[in-house]
Amino acid sequence: MTEHEPFIRQCIALAEQAAAAGDEPFGALLVADGAVRLTARNTVRTDADPTRHAELSLVSDACRRFDAATRARATIYSSTEPCMMCCGAVYWSRIPRVVFGCSAVALGAIAAGSLVTSSRELLGYGTRRVEVIGPVLEQDAADVHRRFWAP
């Protein structure tokens, strides 16, 4: 087991909670100094707001609660590779690392995605480095999507 797997498993559990609440299955958490500091799940449907992705909600909360020095030591873990919007939030928050479970490509194949793009590629365009690690436990993370998006 890698150091990232327990955190990705927590993200998958958050994604399952989101799905149980009627939202799309995405979960994320912020880890700093080895401890989970914040968690978030997708609330797009329950909040009737297409920007309430787990990662964006998490980053927004982290920026309000933690100073830049704490964010600079943090990692965002996500059940699924962050989208373009969430990558922008990560970049501007100055959180230096993202670890994800299900890749954008796998999600696109499962959910017939219309804007499939790699967070590694997107974040690579920035002048500030953001490390991207993943996929981690991709099959487990993808299973949540398979169940949710099944016809």
Side-chain angles (χ1 to χ4, degrees):
M1 179 182 312
T2 71
E3 65 185 279
H4 304 298
E5 289 180 11
F7 297 124
I8 292 297
R9 289 196 190 287
Q10 288 181 343
C11 291
I12 293 168
L14 289 164
E16 290 169 342
Q17 291 172 18
D23 286 298
E24 295 167 353
F26 299 90
L29 46 93
L30 183 83
V31 173
D33 305 319
V36 175
R37 300 295 188 92
L38 294 172
T39 66
R41 60 188 174 109
N42 181 294
T43 58
V44 165
R45 292 181 181 174
T46 55
D47 287 344
D49 180 346
T51 68
R52 298 317 326 154
H53 291 196
E55 301 90 343
L56 181 58
S57 295
L58 185 79
V59 169
S60 182
D61 199 13
C63 288
R64 286 191 301 274
R65 291 182 183 214
F66 301 115
D67 62 14
T70 301
R71 293 193 314 270
R73 297 189 311 272
T75 299
I76 290 186
Y77 285 87
S78 181
S79 62
T80 306
E81 188 169 11
C83 73
M84 296 171 84
M85 175 179 68
C86 294
C87 283
V90 169
Y91 183 82
W92 293 113
S93 72
R94 296 184 175 264
I95 294 170
R97 189 174 311 97
V98 174
V99 181
F100 65 86
C102 181
S103 69
V105 170
L107 174 62
I110 294 165
S114 62
L115 191 57
V116 176
T117 189
S118 160
S119 61
R120 190 172 279 110
E121 180 181 352
L122 284 170
L123 290 165
Y125 286 112
T127 57
R128 186 173 45 262
R129 184 175 184 273
V130 177
E131 181 181 13
V132 179
I133 299 169
V136 174
L137 297 173
E138 184 164 34
Q139 290 307 310
D140 294 347
D143 284 345
V144 179
H145 290 292
R146 284 188 194 91
R147 288 190 298 275
F148 184 84
W149 301 103

